[in-house]
Amino acid sequence: MCILYLGGSLMNEQQSQANRKVLVCITLQQNSKRLIDEGSSLAQSLNADFHILHISKGTTIFENEESSKLFQELFRYGASLGGEVHFLCSMHVTDTITSFIKENAITDLVIGAAPNNNEEKKNVYNRLTESLQMINIITLKRE
């Protein structure tokens, strides 16, 4: 498993807004800026910590030159909005996201809706929403 961290318990009713932590899960594509924007706005409105997470399936996040360029662009964009950017590698995407959420006491999750034509991403999306019922999940529809 590779881990690259860059940047600066589950929610219950007793947690105050001061303890809120927002996580945005992204993929390496331009559309992820929309998710980052939503997460940044939510974090600001809650006065919450702001995290951005990308998990690359496999052993490296630098599969090709295009991925590397987009990684740098999304890193700069997320960091400019105050996000702590985390890039991880794993063959078990859903489990890794769930572990990250628990280990970092994330209270609010922003994710994009799974594409209709991608069964693997729909399975990740469904497993996340089923296993993370104790946190606030915001799902943005695809554009």
Side-chain angles (χ1 to χ4, degrees), residues 3 15 17-18 28 35 37 54 58 75 94 100 124 138 140 143:
I3 299 174
Q15 284 183 300
Q17 285 190 334
L28 290 181
L35 297 172
D37 288 340
H54 169 70
F75 165 74
T94 307
F100 183 93
V124 169
I138 298 168
L140 295 185
E143 288 187 337

Side-chain angles (χ1 to χ4, degrees), residues 27-34 70 73-74:
T27 56
L28 290 181
Q29 59 183 351
Q30 285 292 331
N31 194 38
S32 290
K33 288 183 178 179
R34 183 173 67 93
L70 192 50
E73 182 180 336
L74 290 172

Side-chain angles (χ1 to χ4, degrees), residues 124-142:
V124 169
Y125 172 82
N126 289 338
R127 284 183 57 206
L128 277 176
T129 56
E130 289 169 7
S131 66
L132 298 172
Q133 295 179 5
M134 298 302 293
I135 68 171
N136 180 35
I137 300 176
I138 298 168
T139 305
L140 295 185
K141 293 184 179 183
R142 299 186 69 77

Side-chain angles (χ1 to χ4, degrees), residues 70-129:
L70 192 50
F71 159 75
Q72 291 174 7
E73 182 180 336
L74 290 172
F75 165 74
R76 281 193 290 270
Y77 187 73
S80 74
L81 295 176
E84 292 183 28
V85 183
H86 310 265
F87 284 81
L88 307 175
C89 297
S90 174
M91 294 303 293
H92 308 284
V93 174
T94 307
D95 294 338
T96 304
I97 293 170
T98 301
S99 292
F100 183 93
I101 287 169
K102 290 177 181 177
E103 290 167 10
N104 291 280
I106 300 297
T107 58
D108 300 85
L109 174 65
V110 177
I111 55 176
N116 291 331
N117 60 349
N118 189 319
E119 287 301 315
E120 182 179 1
K121 288 189 178 180
K122 278 201 285 192
N123 287 338
V124 169
Y125 172 82
N126 289 338
R127 284 183 57 206
L128 277 176
T129 56

Side-chain angles (χ1 to χ4, degrees), residues 11 22 55 59 69 79 92 123 139:
M11 187 169 93
V22 174
I55 299 176
T59 58
K69 287 179 183 177
H92 308 284
N123 287 338
T139 305

